[in-house]
Amino acid sequence: MSGQLMPCSPQEISSLFLFEKLTPEQLGRLCSEGRVEQFEPGPVYTEGDPATCFYVMVEGTVVLSRRVGADDVEVTRTSQPGVYSGAMQAYIGDRVRQVYNNSMRVTEPTRFFVLPADTFAAIMQEWFPMAVHLLEGVFFGSKSTQRAVGQRERLLALGSLSAGLTHELNNPAAAAVRATATLRERVGKMRHKLAIIAQGSYTPEVMANLIDIQERTAERVAKAPTLSPLEASDREDTLSDWLDDHDIQDGWRIAPTFVQAGLDVDWLDQVAAAVDEELLPNAIGWLNYTVETELLMDEINDSTTRISHLVDAAKQYSQLDRAPYQNADIHELLDSTLLMLSGKIGSRIEVVKDYDRTLPKVPGYPAELNQVWTNLIDNAVSAVNSVGGEGTLTVRTALERDMLLVEFRDTGPGVPQEIRGRIFDPFFTTKPVGEGTGLGLDISWRIVVNKHHGSLQVESEPGDTRFQVLLPLTAPADETPEEPA
């Protein structure tokens, strides 16, 4: 958009802080090669268009905004004379893509001193060659550093996740190994007890009764009710008394196993009625080994199932063998990330899932969204740990206008107002030296805003900090997500 040409006064532009140290000859060249334009309320340039001009405001009010999805989000509004925008990186030339990084509009008649981008670049290189070299070094150096530290940030996160996953896998794996060793011992004793019973002069009917009782006992183990500690203790005392009354040795040791299996006095009475009195101790011992083997097999099944779930979560988290851009179930991604980070979250932080399960899938890059969840959860855990380590992490999903909301809420100390506007800046961190790179939120911002056309914002007060991710429900016209297998 072009404005109305106005006279260019070297004296007037010398009052702007960018030009106050220039010589009269330099000011004259600026006026001869540049121009003063007055813009009526409305847009001046649009984000993403070729950056053709460098603008310095002389008088008026400007508003700068960034595109977030289908919306323009205001980032700056000022009436300060001398503020500048536009082709600020023209001096770098074709080494970077020369486009406007934001949109600018004016809310009242506003005058700008305008320099064509090529002229601005030539003047910078001619008048300030050392400054140009320094600025180029800062620009490309920061880009290189950001890439290197970003890679390091990802490796550190991967190391933390790997350690957590190894810890989570170790517990069920160790339990399965212990249960297998104990099971082998119990099966050996069962074979020995069966041999003792078989050596007795028992009729086929008695043996058939024993086998039938064994089968029905195994069925009861699978249907055992969950008892409170008080209920379990009372039932153990009752069973111990019954076993003592029937001269069963080590009744105090057998009773807890029978209670865990859901057996009671009525069941033992049925066993006693089915076998002769002299056979009862051996029958009870045999049933005890039967119950123990069933319980051990249940423990092995639970442990291996847990391992399988962890492996599935790791696969879901890493998105192995999946299309990079697809319609993704946000809740599956959140659950896999929470499971991968469960070791770091610990038992003192309560995790509350407030999910709206009716939400549709959203188009996106699941592996990168998992990285966003990882960064935000990690920050929430660090915040809670900074105030004693006890608190709550609430993960909420909802439909907000025409976008899907994912909110991470923690009960930490909050983000101070004075730094809230900087937390998404590269390398800005509040963590101690060596604990944070300052790129977690910057990476998250670029993934959500630049790659998914969404928004990432924070609302905070002591005891209630909320990071909110908004994702569009539909894909851009130039991208087509694949359906996950």
Side-chain angles (χ1 to χ4, degrees), residues 66-77:
R66 294 291 306 272
R67 186 174 299 133
V68 178
D71 302 322
D72 284 332
V73 178
E74 181 178 321
V75 294
T76 302
R77 179 185 293 258

Side-chain angles (χ1 to χ4, degrees), residues 282-316:
N282 285 333
I284 292 295
W286 190 33
L287 292 180
N288 179 51
Y289 292 139
T290 298
V291 169
E292 287 184 334
T293 56
E294 289 294 324
L295 293 175
L296 287 168
M297 286 189 289
D298 286 344
E299 184 176 346
I300 293 171
N301 181 69
D302 290 342
S303 299
T304 53
T305 300
R306 170 71 174 164
I307 292 171
S308 178
H309 287 165
L310 286 167
V311 172
D312 286 344
K315 186 175 181 181
Q316 171 69 250

